[in-house]
Protein backbone atom coordinates (compact mmCIF):
# COMPACT_ATOMS: atom_id res chain seq x y z
CA UNK A 1 0.00 0.00 0.00
CA UNK A 2 2.80 2.39 0.95
CA UNK A 3 4.67 1.57 -2.27
CA UNK A 4 1.51 2.26 -4.24
CA UNK A 5 1.04 5.63 -2.52
CA UNK A 6 4.68 6.58 -3.18
CA UNK A 7 4.28 5.79 -6.85
CA UNK A 8 1.09 7.86 -7.06
CA UNK A 9 2.80 10.83 -5.38
CA UNK A 10 5.83 10.52 -7.71
CA UNK A 11 3.64 10.31 -10.80
CA UNK A 12 1.63 13.33 -9.66
CA UNK A 13 4.82 15.34 -9.11
CA UNK A 14 6.16 14.40 -12.52
CA UNK A 15 2.82 15.36 -14.04
CA UNK A 16 2.98 18.78 -12.41
CA UNK A 17 6.54 19.34 -13.68
CA UNK A 18 5.56 18.24 -17.20
CA UNK A 19 2.55 20.56 -17.08
CA UNK A 20 4.72 23.47 -16.00
CA UNK A 21 7.14 22.86 -18.86
CA UNK A 22 4.25 22.48 -21.30
CA UNK A 23 2.92 25.89 -20.30
CA UNK A 24 6.17 27.67 -21.23
CA UNK A 25 8.48 27.30 -24.21
CA UNK A 26 11.77 28.76 -25.42
CA UNK A 27 12.96 28.27 -28.98
CA UNK A 28 16.37 29.16 -30.40
CA UNK A 29 16.59 29.26 -34.19
CA UNK A 30 18.48 31.07 -36.89
CA UNK A 31 19.93 31.33 -40.38
CA UNK A 32 23.49 31.34 -41.68
CA UNK A 33 23.74 32.60 -45.26
CA UNK A 34 26.77 33.73 -47.25
CA UNK A 35 27.19 34.51 -50.93
CA UNK A 36 29.93 35.21 -53.43
CA UNK A 37 28.92 38.49 -55.09
CA UNK A 38 30.00 40.59 -58.01
CA UNK A 39 28.57 44.07 -58.56
CA UNK A 40 29.44 46.51 -61.34
CA UNK A 41 28.42 49.88 -62.75
CA UNK A 42 28.86 50.92 -66.36
CA UNK A 43 31.84 53.24 -66.67
CA UNK A 44 32.91 52.57 -63.06
CA UNK A 45 34.39 49.04 -62.95
CA UNK A 46 33.35 46.23 -60.63
CA UNK A 47 33.81 44.84 -57.13
CA UNK A 48 33.74 41.18 -56.06
CA UNK A 49 33.84 39.48 -52.68
CA UNK A 50 32.00 37.62 -49.97
CA UNK A 51 28.63 39.07 -49.09
CA UNK A 52 26.16 38.46 -46.30
CA UNK A 53 22.78 36.85 -46.81
CA UNK A 54 21.92 36.83 -50.49
CA UNK A 55 18.84 34.67 -49.88
CA UNK A 56 18.00 35.25 -46.21
CA UNK A 57 19.49 37.50 -43.54
CA UNK A 58 21.87 35.63 -41.23
CA UNK A 59 20.43 35.86 -37.74
CA UNK A 60 19.99 34.36 -34.31
CA UNK A 61 16.44 34.31 -32.94
CA UNK A 62 15.08 33.66 -29.45
CA UNK A 63 11.34 33.07 -29.08
CA UNK A 64 9.49 32.45 -25.85
CA UNK A 65 5.85 31.84 -24.94
CA UNK A 66 3.99 31.27 -21.69
CA UNK A 67 0.43 29.99 -21.38
CA UNK A 68 -1.50 32.31 -19.03
CA UNK A 69 -4.70 30.31 -19.19
CA UNK A 70 -8.06 31.06 -20.75
CA UNK A 71 -6.59 31.04 -24.24
CA UNK A 72 -4.20 33.91 -23.43
CA UNK A 73 -0.41 33.77 -23.65
CA UNK A 74 2.58 36.04 -23.21
CA UNK A 75 5.40 35.92 -25.75
CA UNK A 76 8.60 37.61 -26.88
CA UNK A 77 10.85 37.66 -29.95
CA UNK A 78 14.52 38.72 -29.95
CA UNK A 79 15.92 38.65 -33.49
CA UNK A 80 19.46 39.84 -34.16
CA UNK A 81 21.41 40.03 -37.42
CA UNK A 82 24.85 38.49 -38.02
CA UNK A 83 27.51 39.58 -40.50
CA UNK A 84 28.71 36.18 -41.65
CA UNK A 85 31.31 37.64 -44.01
CA UNK A 86 33.39 39.09 -41.15
CA UNK A 87 31.98 37.33 -38.09
CA UNK A 88 30.68 40.44 -36.33
CA UNK A 89 27.26 40.69 -34.78
CA UNK A 90 26.64 44.43 -34.45
CA UNK A 91 27.47 44.46 -30.83
CA UNK A 92 25.29 42.13 -30.32
CA UNK A 93 21.91 43.84 -30.77
CA UNK A 94 18.47 42.52 -31.63
CA UNK A 95 17.86 45.20 -34.25
CA UNK A 96 15.84 42.99 -36.59
CA UNK A 97 13.00 42.58 -34.11
CA UNK A 98 12.69 42.89 -30.34
CA UNK A 99 9.13 42.70 -29.05
CA UNK A 100 7.10 41.45 -26.10
CA UNK A 101 3.36 40.96 -26.20
CA UNK A 102 0.11 39.29 -25.25
CA UNK A 103 -1.97 37.05 -27.51
CA UNK A 104 -5.44 35.56 -27.22
CA UNK A 105 -8.86 35.40 -28.82
CA UNK A 106 -8.69 39.20 -29.04
CA UNK A 107 -5.63 39.08 -31.31
CA UNK A 108 -2.13 40.25 -30.42
CA UNK A 109 -0.66 43.37 -28.80
CA UNK A 110 3.11 43.92 -29.05
CA UNK A 111 5.60 46.51 -27.76
CA UNK A 112 9.13 47.17 -29.02
CA UNK A 113 11.14 47.45 -32.23
CA UNK A 114 9.08 45.87 -34.97
CA UNK A 115 8.54 45.57 -38.71
CA UNK A 116 6.41 48.22 -40.40
CA UNK A 117 3.04 47.32 -41.98
CA UNK A 118 4.40 47.96 -45.49
CA UNK A 119 7.40 45.69 -44.79
CA UNK A 120 5.24 42.57 -44.93
CA UNK A 121 4.04 43.22 -48.48
CA UNK A 122 7.58 43.48 -49.84
CA UNK A 123 8.33 39.91 -48.81
CA UNK A 124 4.89 38.48 -49.57
CA UNK A 125 4.69 39.65 -53.20
CA UNK A 126 8.33 39.71 -54.33
CA UNK A 127 10.23 36.43 -54.84
CA UNK A 128 13.56 38.04 -53.91
CA UNK A 129 12.01 39.75 -50.89
CA UNK A 130 14.54 42.05 -49.19
CA UNK A 131 17.73 40.13 -49.89
CA UNK A 132 20.32 39.82 -52.63
CA UNK A 133 21.05 41.67 -55.82
CA UNK A 134 17.51 41.07 -57.10
CA UNK A 135 15.54 42.66 -54.26
CA UNK A 136 12.84 45.12 -55.31
CA UNK A 137 14.07 47.74 -52.82
CA UNK A 138 17.30 48.23 -54.76
CA UNK A 139 15.48 51.40 -55.79
CA UNK A 140 13.44 52.91 -52.96
CA UNK A 141 14.17 56.63 -52.69
CA UNK A 142 11.69 59.29 -53.88
CA UNK A 143 14.43 61.91 -54.28
CA UNK A 144 17.52 60.09 -55.53
CA UNK A 145 20.41 60.27 -53.06
CA UNK A 146 18.90 62.99 -50.87
CA UNK A 147 16.57 60.54 -49.14
CA UNK A 148 18.64 57.37 -49.40
CA UNK A 149 18.10 55.02 -46.50
CA UNK A 150 14.93 56.77 -45.32
CA UNK A 151 12.60 56.15 -48.23
CA UNK A 152 11.34 52.71 -47.29
CA UNK A 153 12.49 51.73 -43.81
CA UNK A 154 11.40 48.24 -42.90
CA UNK A 155 11.49 48.55 -39.09
CA UNK A 156 10.59 51.19 -36.50
CA UNK A 157 11.63 51.76 -32.89
CA UNK A 158 9.29 52.33 -29.94
CA UNK A 159 6.22 50.76 -31.53
CA UNK A 160 2.88 49.58 -30.20
CA UNK A 161 1.09 47.19 -32.56
CA UNK A 162 -2.24 45.39 -32.66
CA UNK A 163 -2.91 42.36 -34.88
CA UNK A 164 -6.32 40.88 -35.58
CA UNK A 165 -6.97 37.32 -34.36
CA UNK A 166 -6.18 34.48 -36.78
CA UNK A 167 -9.73 33.10 -36.63
CA UNK A 168 -11.32 35.43 -39.18
CA UNK A 169 -11.43 33.06 -42.15
CA UNK A 170 -8.27 34.29 -43.86
CA UNK A 171 -8.72 37.99 -43.11
CA UNK A 172 -5.82 39.60 -41.22
CA UNK A 173 -4.88 43.09 -40.17
CA UNK A 174 -2.44 45.24 -38.22
CA UNK A 175 -2.35 48.74 -36.76
CA UNK A 176 0.92 50.26 -35.53
CA UNK A 177 2.05 53.44 -33.81
CA UNK A 178 5.68 54.49 -33.21
CA UNK A 179 6.64 57.10 -30.62
CA UNK A 180 9.17 59.66 -31.84
CA UNK A 181 10.07 60.53 -28.24
CA UNK A 182 10.91 64.16 -29.07
CA UNK A 183 10.34 67.24 -26.94
CA UNK A 184 6.81 68.58 -27.45
CA UNK A 185 8.02 72.19 -27.79
CA UNK A 186 10.54 71.55 -30.59
CA UNK A 187 9.92 72.53 -34.23
CA UNK A 188 10.15 68.90 -35.30
CA UNK A 189 8.44 67.32 -32.31
CA UNK A 190 7.17 64.42 -34.41
CA UNK A 191 10.60 63.38 -35.78
CA UNK A 192 11.23 59.60 -35.90
CA UNK A 193 7.61 58.81 -35.12
CA UNK A 194 5.14 57.04 -37.36
CA UNK A 195 2.02 54.99 -37.76
CA UNK A 196 0.51 52.55 -40.21
CA UNK A 197 -2.07 49.92 -41.04
CA UNK A 198 -2.19 46.66 -42.97
CA UNK A 199 -5.14 44.52 -44.08
CA UNK A 200 -5.31 41.44 -46.25
CA UNK A 201 -6.93 38.15 -47.14
CA UNK A 202 -5.14 34.84 -47.61
CA UNK A 203 -6.41 31.41 -48.62
CA UNK A 204 -4.57 28.28 -49.77
CA UNK A 205 -4.01 29.75 -53.22
CA UNK A 206 -5.04 33.43 -53.26
CA UNK A 207 -3.41 36.29 -51.36
CA UNK A 208 -4.13 40.04 -51.51
CA UNK A 209 -3.11 42.87 -49.17
CA UNK A 210 -2.94 46.66 -48.75
CA UNK A 211 -0.73 48.66 -46.38
CA UNK A 212 0.28 52.20 -45.48
CA UNK A 213 3.09 53.51 -43.29
CA UNK A 214 3.52 57.21 -42.50
CA UNK A 215 6.86 58.29 -41.04
CA UNK A 216 6.59 61.71 -39.44
CA UNK A 217 9.09 64.55 -39.96
CA UNK A 218 11.91 62.57 -41.52
CA UNK A 219 15.48 63.77 -42.06
CA UNK A 220 15.38 64.28 -45.83
CA UNK A 221 17.50 66.68 -47.87
CA UNK A 222 18.81 69.76 -46.03
CA UNK A 223 16.22 69.11 -43.31
CA UNK A 224 18.75 66.74 -41.77
CA UNK A 225 21.35 69.47 -41.15
CA UNK A 226 18.96 72.33 -40.37
CA UNK A 227 16.64 70.56 -37.95
CA UNK A 228 16.22 73.60 -35.71
CA UNK A 229 15.03 75.96 -38.46
CA UNK A 230 13.42 73.74 -41.11
CA UNK A 231 10.19 71.79 -40.72
CA UNK A 232 10.86 68.23 -41.79
CA UNK A 233 8.46 66.48 -44.19
CA UNK A 234 6.41 63.36 -43.56
CA UNK A 235 7.15 60.31 -45.68
CA UNK A 236 4.14 58.25 -46.78
CA UNK A 237 4.54 54.73 -48.14
CA UNK A 238 1.56 52.92 -49.64
CA UNK A 239 1.72 49.36 -50.95
CA UNK A 240 -0.57 46.78 -52.53
CA UNK A 241 0.02 43.24 -53.72
CA UNK A 242 -1.67 40.10 -54.96
CA UNK A 243 -0.69 36.55 -55.91
CA UNK A 244 -2.32 33.29 -56.98
CA UNK A 245 -0.77 29.85 -56.67
CA UNK A 246 -1.57 27.57 -59.63
CA UNK A 247 0.73 24.88 -58.27
CA UNK A 248 3.06 24.85 -61.28
CA UNK A 249 3.31 28.68 -61.26
CA UNK A 250 2.75 31.47 -58.74
CA UNK A 251 2.44 34.89 -60.43
CA UNK A 252 2.40 38.00 -58.27
CA UNK A 253 2.15 41.76 -58.61
CA UNK A 254 3.38 44.48 -56.25
CA UNK A 255 2.86 48.24 -56.35
CA UNK A 256 4.14 50.87 -53.94
CA UNK A 257 4.52 54.61 -53.80
CA UNK A 258 6.88 56.58 -51.54
CA UNK A 259 6.19 60.30 -51.23
CA UNK A 260 7.34 63.19 -49.09
CA UNK A 261 4.59 65.55 -47.93
CA UNK A 262 4.60 68.82 -46.02
CA UNK A 263 7.59 70.50 -44.43
CA UNK A 264 10.02 72.89 -46.10
CA UNK A 265 13.26 71.47 -47.47
CA UNK A 266 15.85 74.17 -48.07
CA UNK A 267 17.41 72.62 -51.18
CA UNK A 268 14.02 71.57 -52.55
CA UNK A 269 12.98 68.04 -53.48
CA UNK A 270 11.02 68.60 -56.66
CA UNK A 271 10.77 64.91 -57.51
CA UNK A 272 9.27 63.76 -54.25
CA UNK A 273 7.37 60.66 -55.32
CA UNK A 274 8.64 57.30 -56.49
CA UNK A 275 6.25 54.67 -57.86
CA UNK A 276 7.32 51.03 -58.05
CA UNK A 277 5.52 48.37 -60.08
CA UNK A 278 6.89 44.82 -59.97
CA UNK A 279 5.53 41.80 -61.82
CA UNK A 280 7.05 38.50 -60.78
CA UNK A 281 6.58 34.74 -60.62
CA UNK A 282 7.96 31.62 -59.00
CA UNK A 283 7.79 28.05 -60.31
CA UNK A 284 8.86 24.72 -58.78
CA UNK A 285 11.70 23.27 -60.84
CA UNK A 286 13.27 19.97 -59.85
CA UNK A 287 14.28 20.11 -56.18
CA UNK A 288 14.22 23.87 -56.19
CA UNK A 289 12.42 27.08 -57.10
CA UNK A 290 12.84 29.29 -60.16
CA UNK A 291 12.26 33.03 -59.61
CA UNK A 292 11.88 35.99 -61.96
CA UNK A 293 10.94 39.63 -61.40
CA UNK A 294 10.64 42.75 -63.54
CA UNK A 295 10.32 46.09 -61.75
CA UNK A 296 9.66 49.55 -63.13
CA UNK A 297 10.68 52.58 -61.02
CA UNK A 298 9.01 55.86 -61.97
CA UNK A 299 10.32 59.05 -60.37
CA UNK A 300 7.31 61.25 -60.96
CA UNK A 301 7.68 64.48 -62.99
CA UNK A 302 11.14 63.36 -64.04
CA UNK A 303 12.93 61.41 -66.77
CA UNK A 304 15.23 59.84 -64.17
CA UNK A 305 13.60 56.42 -64.02
CA UNK A 306 14.87 52.84 -64.02
CA UNK A 307 13.93 49.24 -64.86
CA UNK A 308 15.22 46.15 -63.07
CA UNK A 309 15.27 42.52 -64.20
CA UNK A 310 16.15 39.76 -61.73
CA UNK A 311 16.36 35.99 -62.28
CA UNK A 312 17.29 33.36 -59.72
CA UNK A 313 17.17 29.70 -58.72
CA UNK A 314 17.20 28.07 -55.29
CA UNK A 315 18.21 24.38 -55.13
CA UNK A 316 17.32 22.51 -51.93
CA UNK A 317 20.04 20.11 -50.85
CA UNK A 318 17.95 19.17 -47.80
CA UNK A 319 15.11 20.52 -45.68
CA UNK A 320 17.51 22.99 -44.04
CA UNK A 321 20.24 23.63 -46.63
CA UNK A 322 20.02 25.28 -50.04
CA UNK A 323 22.36 26.69 -52.66
CA UNK A 324 21.26 29.56 -54.89
CA UNK A 325 22.17 31.86 -57.75
CA UNK A 326 20.73 35.29 -58.60
CA UNK A 327 21.46 37.72 -61.40
CA UNK A 328 20.08 41.27 -61.67
CA UNK A 329 20.48 44.30 -63.90
CA UNK A 330 19.20 47.86 -63.47
CA UNK A 331 18.97 50.08 -66.54
CA UNK A 332 18.83 53.76 -65.62
CA UNK A 333 17.31 56.56 -67.66
CA UNK A 334 18.02 60.28 -67.73
CA UNK A 335 20.67 61.07 -65.13
CA UNK A 336 19.55 58.43 -62.65
CA UNK A 337 22.33 56.40 -60.98
CA UNK A 338 20.37 53.67 -59.18
CA UNK A 339 22.41 50.55 -58.55
CA UNK A 340 22.29 46.92 -57.49
CA UNK A 341 23.39 47.33 -53.90
CA UNK A 342 23.63 43.76 -52.64
CA UNK A 343 21.96 42.03 -49.72
CA UNK A 344 22.20 44.58 -46.89
CA UNK A 345 18.86 46.34 -46.33
CA UNK A 346 18.26 49.16 -43.89
CA UNK A 347 17.73 47.64 -40.46
CA UNK A 348 18.62 44.12 -41.56
CA UNK A 349 21.91 43.78 -39.72
CA UNK A 350 24.02 42.92 -42.78
CA UNK A 351 27.14 44.89 -43.71
CA UNK A 352 27.05 43.92 -47.38
CA UNK A 353 29.57 44.41 -50.19
CA UNK A 354 30.39 48.03 -51.04
CA UNK A 355 28.47 49.18 -54.11
CA UNK A 356 29.54 50.76 -57.39
CA UNK A 357 27.03 53.25 -58.86
CA UNK A 358 27.10 53.55 -62.66
CA UNK A 359 27.58 56.74 -64.62
CA UNK A 360 24.37 58.82 -64.97
CA UNK A 361 21.90 56.93 -67.13
CA UNK A 362 24.09 53.83 -67.04
CA UNK A 363 23.60 50.19 -66.11
CA UNK A 364 24.24 48.36 -62.85
CA UNK A 365 24.75 44.58 -62.71
CA UNK A 366 24.96 42.06 -59.88
CA UNK A 367 25.50 38.32 -59.36
CA UNK A 368 25.08 36.19 -56.24
CA UNK A 369 26.17 32.56 -55.69
CA UNK A 370 25.55 31.40 -52.16
CA UNK A 371 24.57 28.80 -49.59
CA UNK A 372 22.00 29.05 -46.79
CA UNK A 373 21.46 26.82 -43.76
CA UNK A 374 18.64 27.17 -41.24
CA UNK A 375 18.53 25.71 -37.75
Amino acid sequence: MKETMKRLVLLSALGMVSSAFAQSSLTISGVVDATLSRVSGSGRGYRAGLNEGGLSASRLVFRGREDLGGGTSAFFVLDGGLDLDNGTASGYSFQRQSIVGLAGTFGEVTLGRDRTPTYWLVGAFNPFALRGVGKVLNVSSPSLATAAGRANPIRLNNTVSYLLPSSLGGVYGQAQYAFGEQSSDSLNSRTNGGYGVRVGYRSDKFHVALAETILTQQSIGNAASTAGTVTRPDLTIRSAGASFDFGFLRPMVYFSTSQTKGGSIANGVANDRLDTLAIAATAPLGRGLFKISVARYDLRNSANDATQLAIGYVYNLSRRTAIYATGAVIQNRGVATYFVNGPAASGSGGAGLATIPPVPGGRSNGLDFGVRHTF
Side-chain angles (χ1 to χ4, degrees):
M1 183 67 178
K2 289 183 178 180
E3 289 298 323
T4 302
M5 290 298 295
K6 288 180 179 179
R7 290 176 182 175
L8 288 174
V9 171
L10 179 59
L11 288 173
S12 298
L14 289 175
M16 291 174 64
V17 171
S18 298
S19 177
F21 277 109
Q23 291 173 1
S24 300
S25 65
L26 173 63
T27 303
I28 302 175
S29 62
V31 177
V32 283
D33 186 334
T35 178
L36 296 173
S37 294
R38 185 185 189 276
V39 293
S40 64
S42 56
R44 299 284 172 81
Y46 73 92
R47 181 176 281 112
L50 189 65
N51 219 340
E52 197 287 310
L55 184 60
S56 302
S58 295
R59 57 190 181 269
L60 183 63
V61 186
F62 298 86
R63 289 185 175 89
R65 184 173 291 270
E66 180 186 15
D67 185 359
L68 301 177
T72 304
S73 62
F75 66 94
F76 72 87
V77 179
L78 297 175
D79 186 344
L82 303 168
D83 295 343
L84 203 64
D85 51 347
N86 57 22
T88 62
S90 302
Y92 179 77
S93 62
F94 295 102
Q95 79 284 19
R96 288 178 49 81
Q97 189 179 33
S98 51
I99 58 171
V100 63
L102 296 174
T105 55
F106 57 85
E108 291 185 5
V109 177
T110 66
L111 308 173
R113 176 173 170 81
D114 204 356
R115 300 173 175 93
T116 64
T118 45
Y119 161 95
W120 296 101
L121 273 68
V122 177
F125 304 109
N126 292 277
F128 299 96
L130 292 153
R131 308 300 303 180
V133 295
K135 66 178 181 288
V136 71
L137 291 189
N138 273 329
V139 180
S140 62
S141 169
S143 51
L144 295 176
T146 60
R150 300 299 301 177
N152 206 331
I154 57 180
R155 295 172 177 87
L156 286 175
N157 295 328
N158 310 310
T159 69
V160 178
S161 296
Y162 169 73
L163 287 81
L164 289 175
S166 58
S167 57
L168 300 179
V171 175
Y172 63 86
Q174 175 191 17
Q176 183 181 82
Y177 181 82
F179 293 91
E181 299 186 347
Q182 307 295 317
S183 173
S184 62
D185 62 354
S186 65
L187 179 62
N188 291 289
S189 60
R190 298 182 299 118
T191 294
N192 297 327
Y195 50 94
V197 294
R198 170 173 61 110
V199 63
Y201 170 79
R202 186 166 194 167
S203 65
D204 291 341
K205 295 184 177 295
F206 179 64
H207 188 189
V208 62
L210 302 169
E212 178 181 70
T213 300
I214 297 176
L215 307 169
T216 53
Q217 294 187 328
Q218 297 300 296
S219 300
I220 299 175
N222 282 358
S225 59
T226 56
T229 58
V230 175
T231 302
R232 294 174 174 176
D234 293 344
L235 180 61
T236 300
I237 305 165
R238 295 188 176 98
S239 302
S243 67
F244 191 89
D245 192 349
F246 291 97
F248 67 93
L249 182 71
R250 180 175 173 254
M252 60 196 81
V253 60
Y254 168 83
F255 176 79
S256 74
T257 178
S258 298
Q259 184 174 17
T260 54
K261 292 183 178 182
S264 54
I265 301 178
N267 63 346
V269 180
N271 304 313
D272 63 351
R273 175 177 166 180
L274 176 73
D275 291 346
T276 299
L277 175 63
I279 299 174
T282 62
L285 183 61
R287 293 186 58 178
L289 187 71
F290 174 77
K291 306 186 293 184
I292 184 170
S293 172
V294 177
R296 168 68 175 170
Y297 306 98
D298 179 14
L299 188 62
R300 300 298 294 271
N301 303 315
S302 167
N304 304 323
D305 304 324
T307 301
Q308 174 179 282
L309 170 66
I311 299 175
Y313 182 68
V314 181
Y315 182 80
N316 297 308
L317 297 173
S318 69
R319 186 170 63 90
R320 295 182 179 275
T321 304
I323 55 177
Y324 59 88
T326 303
V329 57
I330 294 177
Q331 179 59 61
N332 289 286
R333 293 178 175 80
V335 296
T337 56
Y338 296 117
F339 50 86
V340 171
N341 60 351
S346 175
S348 67
L353 186 70
T355 58
I356 298 183
V359 296
R363 177 179 295 181
S364 175
N365 302 286
L367 291 172
D368 281 341
F369 298 95
V371 57
R372 179 191 67 181
H373 179 76
T374 62
F375 61 90

